[in-house]
Amino acid sequence: MTTARRIACFATTLRLDEVPAPVVEAAKLHLLDALGVGLAASTVPLSQRWVEAARRIGGNTGRSTGLGGSNGLTATAAALLNGSLIHSLEFDDTHTRSVVHGSAVAASAALAAAEEAGSDGGSLLAGYLAAWEVMIRLGLSAPGAFQANGFQISAVGGAIGGAVAASVVGQLGEAAAVSAIGIAGSQASGLMEFLSDGSTVKALHPGWAAHTGIAAAALAQSGMTGPASILEGRFGFLAAFARDPEAAGRLDRALDDLGTVWHLPDAAFKLYPCCHYIHPFLEALQDLIDGGLTVETLESLICEVPQPEAPLICEPWERRQHPASGYDGKWGLAYCLAALLVDGRIDVDTFAGPPAPEIASVARRMAWRPMEGHRFPHRFEAALEARLTDGAVRRVRVDDVRGAPGRPVAPDAVLAKFANNAGRTLTTDAAAAVQAAVLGLDRAPDLGPLTQALRATGQ
């Protein structure tokens, strides 16, 4: 049996009432977090332009909700818009071992497909969860290899995940789901070349993946076929994107426990809106700040960085000290650290405008070197060495990012993050209604309460 057929069998037989309750609760919390991030993104000028683009691409002839007030979109247009919004702030969750940003794809695809189909809340949650589990296993088949070859796994694997979500929500039969996966894999894309100049297209990656997955399911339902060997075949997904001869075997083994072992609860919530690799460094710096470090007392700072992370957050170092734009600053290790030291915070507004000269000036006191014996991607580690103006040297190390397995973020912190993000565009009552609707999705006979609350924009 091909891997696509194994995945399709899982997707077409998944029953939410057979999923362990803690997994369902984790899924609802991650979905709520993603919607909050997307709502916050809709208030940022850069992201607001994408709303009109989604209308032009997909039209206003559907039933699906676009976050931030663009309603009545086709499912593909809503998935494109919402996936891009959720990912645009670099504030969306990550399964760190697979380096997969799952919710931006899974939430946007499942919500758009469920609204178009008139589904109940359980179907939405099942599609969301299934997409996550498949995407994680794709990432685990060749951890780090996709990125090393220039592809974002959340984008290329996201196309498969989007098709899985749409297949679950649309109640496709096994044969149609196999074709949907094959069609989506044939259209998968998402290059890392945005790193060359800080282009904003990275935000589009999960949105386009979700768009691709929904379109693939519709095409499969209409009779188009896709190759069942799309994942492990000679010219398939793993050969094209991972280029690791062991990847097919790993994926095959990873699918052995699909439906019995659930990885979503291990995904890490992000507490800062910037590249996840930078988060442990921010935590380490906060320890130094809590110990008395200030802009005035810092002479220089050396960051020890796992080498596979360097292309994203260290290269070229001059631009990571003084980014090309606020958006580009989200990948600037030095710029983010300097912003925390100068402003005492890292939030959505840190990157909403052009880079601040005073932050870039402090960033120029910083340097980096490769970390020896790192454990990436199994852990997101960080080490800092600060030399003070009085000659003292302080060192601090973080062994893994907060939110990773073993260092969970408390649900109250996730709810507070949602309230803060949603409050940028929703009234307090509407935000509370979204929260209540998402946390009750597994019992919801329809999506009316959630849709109405998401559309109640305006303070």
Side-chain angles (χ1 to χ4, degrees):
M1 184 183 295
T2 67
T3 51
R5 189 164 296 278
R6 294 178 70 186
I7 291 170
C9 182
F10 161 72
T12 55
T13 60
L14 176 63
R15 290 174 53 89
L16 193 67
D17 59 6
E18 295 176 354
V19 177
V23 177
V24 175
E25 293 304 309
K28 291 189 288 188
L29 203 59
H30 279 272
L31 176 59
L32 181 68
D33 177 65
L35 293 176
V37 171
L39 288 166
S42 72
T43 69
V44 176
L46 173 66
S47 304
Q48 290 171 341
R49 302 170 194 159
W50 300 338
V51 174
E52 182 58 35
R55 288 196 190 99
R56 291 200 302 271
I57 291 170
N60 294 318
T61 59
R63 303 171 58 184
S64 297
T65 302
L67 298 176
S70 184
N71 303 316
L73 297 174
T74 62
T76 50
L80 176 67
L81 172 61
N82 294 340
S84 301
L85 289 174
I86 292 169
H87 195 50
S88 66
L89 298 183
E90 290 295 318
F91 214 179
D92 50 316
D93 49 13
T94 313
H95 183 268
T96 56
R97 288 195 300 119
S98 61
V99 203
V100 163
H101 298 280
S103 281
V105 176
S108 53
L111 175 62
E115 285 189 285
E116 183 177 70
S119 302
D120 59 20
S123 296
L124 191 164
L125 268 182
Y128 172 78
L129 178 59
W132 250 116
E133 292 296 325
V134 170
M135 290 173 64
I136 288 170
R137 284 166 170 81
L138 290 173
L140 291 175
S141 70
F146 297 96
Q147 294 87 337
N149 289 316
F151 303 103
Q152 189 188 10
I153 180 58
S154 305
V156 293
I160 307 297
V164 169
S167 296
V168 172
V169 172
Q171 299 181 343
L172 271 64
E174 184 178 313
V178 170
S179 282
I181 292 168
I183 295 166
S186 296
Q187 304 305 312
S189 61
L191 297 174
M192 301 285 284
E193 187 58 19
F194 73 91
L195 290 168
S196 68
D197 59 9
S199 296
T200 57
V201 69
K202 179 179 186 286
L204 180 67
H205 287 177
W208 194 260
H211 167 283
T212 296
I214 290 179
L219 290 166
Q221 286 178 302
S222 299
M224 180 177 285
T225 59
S229 58
I230 188 64
L231 295 173
E232 71 274 24
R234 177 185 175 192
F235 299 115
F237 177 90
L238 295 175
F241 300 131
R243 304 173 193 172
D244 179 347
E246 305 298 323
R250 289 194 209 99
L251 178 58
D252 197 53
R253 291 188 294 275
L255 294 177
D256 287 343
D257 59 15
L258 184 61
T260 57
V261 172
W262 304 91
H263 291 296
L264 171 57
D266 289 337
F269 294 99
K270 294 178 77 171
L271 300 180
Y272 303 104
C274 60
C275 179
H276 216 153
Y277 298 162
I278 295 174
H279 288 213
F281 292 92
L282 292 170
E283 185 179 347
L285 180 60
Q286 188 62 59
D287 286 346
L288 292 173
I289 292 171
D290 292 344
L293 180 68
T294 67
V295 171
E296 291 74 23
T297 61
L298 177 67
E299 178 71 27
S300 63
L301 186 72
I302 296 176
C303 311
E304 292 189 13
V305 182
Q307 186 61 50
E309 298 177 2
L312 264 73
I313 64 175
C314 297
E315 299 172 358
W317 189 245
E318 293 78 10
R319 215 178 83 225
R320 297 308 176 215
Q321 294 171 309
H322 193 163
S325 65
Y327 181 80
D328 190 37
K330 294 173 181 291
W331 290 271
L333 174 57
Y335 187 81
C336 289
L337 291 173
L340 180 60
L341 195 58
V342 171
D343 295 337
R345 58 176 175 78
I346 296 285
D347 58 23
V348 172
D349 294 325
T350 300
F351 307 102
E358 60 272 24
I359 294 176
S361 177
V362 174
R364 291 191 181 96
R365 304 182 203 172
M366 302 177 186
W368 78 280
R369 64 191 178 208
M371 177 184 288
E372 296 183 3
H374 67 79
R375 292 165 289 181
F376 177 88
H378 299 289
R379 292 174 182 256
F380 286 8
E381 302 164 277
L384 297 179
E385 180 180 292
R387 185 170 298 277
L388 308 187
T389 52
D390 64 3
V393 176
R394 295 181 185 172
R395 297 179 178 86
V396 63
R397 181 181 180 88
V398 172
D399 287 331
D400 203 359
V401 66
R402 185 186 293 119
R407 299 196 66 206
V409 173
D412 285 350
V414 180
L415 296 179
K417 175 187 171 184
F418 168 77
N420 186 59
N421 281 331
R424 293 176 67 95
T425 186
L426 298 184
T427 65
T428 300
D429 287 346
V434 172
Q435 178 175 313
V438 172
L439 297 184
L441 268 179
D442 50 328
R443 304 178 300 278
D446 60 69
L447 302 180
L450 175 59
T451 297
Q452 293 167 18
L454 286 173
R455 295 185 178 193
T457 56
Q459 299 291 347

